[in-house]
Amino acid sequence: MKKNEKITVIITTFNSETSFKKLWETLPLKKIDNVIVINGGNEYKSSYKTNNDQIIWIQHTDRHNIAYARNEGLRIAQQIGNTHIFLMEDD
């Protein structure tokens, strides 16, 4: 991968902290430049960090569908300038 390329992972989640934690523990965080998490459910009790603090956590207070959450993540990823974007769900 070229030096000026950036990797962003967008994770959508909804009231499934157990599944989210399992997914989080498998991410190769040293290779990811930015992580965007969109949580459409209740707030999670644990705190999730990256090595370089490049996590954007969006906590919705209103219910939205999965397409809305993904599109929001994609807009943010484009705004911060990424060349590779991966969409994931925790289930």
Side-chain angles (χ1 to χ4, degrees), residues 1 7 11 14 16 18 21 30-31 35 38 52-53 55 58-60 74-76 81-82 85 90:
M1 194 166 76
I7 296 175
I11 304 170
F14 186 88
S16 55
T18 302
K21 185 175 182 177
K30 292 181 181 179
K31 297 180 180 183
V35 179
I38 298 105
N52 57 4
D53 292 327
I55 183 168
I58 298 167
Q59 178 66 51
H60 285 165
L74 287 168
R75 276 191 298 276
I76 294 167
N82 292 279
I85 299 171
D90 59 6

Side-chain angles (χ1 to χ4, degrees), residues 29-73:
L29 294 173
K30 292 181 181 179
K31 297 180 180 183
I32 299 171
D33 297 296
N34 298 293
V35 179
I36 301 169
V37 179
I38 298 105
N39 183 8
N42 298 325
E43 289 187 34
Y44 289 169
K45 295 176 183 172
S46 297
S47 177
Y48 299 92
K49 305 273 184 196
T50 63
N51 293 336
N52 57 4
D53 292 327
Q54 295 299 323
I55 183 168
I56 298 169
W57 190 283
I58 298 167
Q59 178 66 51
H60 285 165
T61 54
D62 296 328
R63 286 201 170 169
H64 298 286
N65 62 32
I66 189 73
Y68 181 91
R70 286 183 187 149
N71 287 334
E72 185 174 18

Side-chain angles (χ1 to χ4, degrees), residues 1-17:
M1 194 166 76
K2 297 176 185 175
K3 287 186 178 185
N4 61 344
E5 293 181 328
K6 287 186 175 181
I7 296 175
T8 292
V9 173
I10 300 169
I11 304 170
T12 55
T13 184
F14 186 88
N15 288 339
S16 55
E17 187 167 8

